[in-house]
Amino acid sequence: QVQLVESGGGLVQAGDSLTLSCATSGVSFSRFALAWFRQAPGKEREYVAGFSRTGGYRNYANSVKGRFTISKDSAKNMVFLQMDNLQPEDTAVYYCAASASVISSSLARADAYANWGQGTQVTVSS
């Protein structure tokens, strides 16, 4: 059974940094795609960053490219999202997601992921 638990959210000011963590269980890092999504109030869930199933491909949404970094620690079964130069538009609930079947070209599709964490709130004040 796959379980994903996010942590590390909080209230920060514009320009600050924050690192989110996702503790996983039941996930094989060599077979699962791992990704971060976010959802702001009144908006659809959107892709932030992710690793392909083989881990050899990593990409980012244009809105966070150059500011956010996704990483993983296979030995500790953890996925991280380092967020630098945070802006008010980054305010959202951030979710960790895992999929054993998503293909690289569909990494950004929320409906391609069957496993989700409960989310962690990130609020950026101006």
Side-chain angles (χ1 to χ4, degrees):
Q1 183 179 358
V2 174
Q3 290 190 325
L4 307 171
V5 180
E6 303 94 335
S7 62
L11 172 63
V12 297
Q13 293 186 333
D16 284 351
S17 297
L18 204 59
T19 298
L20 304 183
S21 300
C22 175
T24 76
S25 62
V27 174
S28 169
F29 277 40
S30 62
R31 294 192 301 110
F32 276 69
L34 299 162
W36 287 94
F37 286 77
R38 67 186 182 186
Q39 188 166 19
K43 294 187 176 182
E44 293 187 354
R45 192 167 296 190
E46 67 170 352
Y47 177 77
V48 176
F51 282 106
S52 64
R53 284 189 290 136
T54 63
Y57 175 70
R58 174 173 55 176
N59 70 356
Y60 298 87
N62 288 333
S63 58
V64 307
K65 200 171 293 184
R67 299 188 298 123
F68 290 12
T69 303
I70 187 172
S71 63
K72 59 184 177 178
D73 186 333
S74 302
K76 296 182 178 180
N77 298 316
M78 297 288 294
V79 186
F80 305 98
L81 185 68
Q82 171 70 37
M83 306 183 293
D84 297 320
N85 190 23
L86 282 161
Q87 300 301 312
E89 53 266 33
D90 295 317
T91 295
V93 177
Y94 283 71
Y95 298 91
C96 180
S99 172
S101 60
V102 66
I103 58 176
S104 295
S105 59
S106 297
L107 272 179
R109 290 181 51 181
D111 62 359
Y113 294 81
N115 306 288
W116 295 87
Q118 83 290 348
T120 185
Q121 176 71 48
V122 173
T123 303
V124 185
S125 63
S126 57

